[in-house]
Amino acid sequence: MKKILIVDDSVSMRKMVGYTLRQAGFDVVEAEHGQDALDKLQGAVVDLIITDLNMPVMDGITLIQNVRKRVDMKTKPILMLTTETLGAKKEEGKAAGATGWIVKPFEPEKLLATVAKVLP
């Protein structure tokens, strides 16, 4: 079973994304911000990270930059799931190492299609 880490400061968003992914058969781990995600990645392996951009403590861009420093996470897909639509922010996410970008609110089918596309 593929394991996906969801990182979002919104409990309701984590629940919606988590529900969608669990219904599709994925194992889901949740974190409320970037630092929480890094803590949960210590000694753990995930197949995909889905992260929000704007969060307290550590934002999504900083999270991606830190994750990409890990040898075992250099090629793992990371999706940004955010309300941010500015092209400059997308470029910043891409430069940090994001694999893709999904704008909230999301359609469950689109989320699952994107997940299927990026998971090996």
Side-chain angles (χ1 to χ4, degrees):
M1 180 181 294
K2 299 283 186 181
K3 184 182 283 188
I4 300 175
L5 174 62
I6 302 168
V7 190
D8 200 305
D9 57 324
S10 165
V11 173
S12 60
M13 183 55 67
R14 286 197 315 267
K15 285 186 178 190
M16 285 192 312
V17 174
Y19 177 80
T20 299
L21 294 172
R22 286 182 183 102
Q23 288 295 96
F26 294 101
D27 184 15
V28 175
V29 179
E30 298 180 18
E32 62 183 284
H33 51 71
Q35 185 58 55
D36 188 25
L38 289 177
D39 293 344
K40 289 183 174 166
L41 284 170
Q42 291 296 322
V45 175
V46 299
D47 299 292
L48 168 67
I49 297 172
I50 299 175
T51 183
D52 189 12
L53 176 61
N54 299 308
M55 298 177 285
V57 184
M58 180 186 291
D59 67 17
I61 299 290
T62 306
L63 168 64
I64 293 171
Q65 291 168 337
N66 280 283
V67 165
R68 291 300 189 211
K69 291 177 184 172
R70 285 180 43 168
V71 174
D72 63 329
M73 294 297 293
K74 282 196 180 295
T75 60
K76 296 283 182 176
I78 302 175
L79 296 174
M80 301 287 302
L81 180 60
T82 179
T83 56
E84 189 67 59
T85 59
L86 292 176
K89 281 293 182 186
K90 287 183 180 179
E91 287 303 315
E92 190 178 348
K94 188 176 177 181
T99 309
W101 194 280
I102 301 171
V103 177
K104 296 176 189 172
F106 70 93
E107 294 291 328
E109 297 80 17
K110 179 175 176 154
L111 175 67
L112 293 174
T114 305
V115 166
K117 193 176 183 182
V118 299
L119 274 178

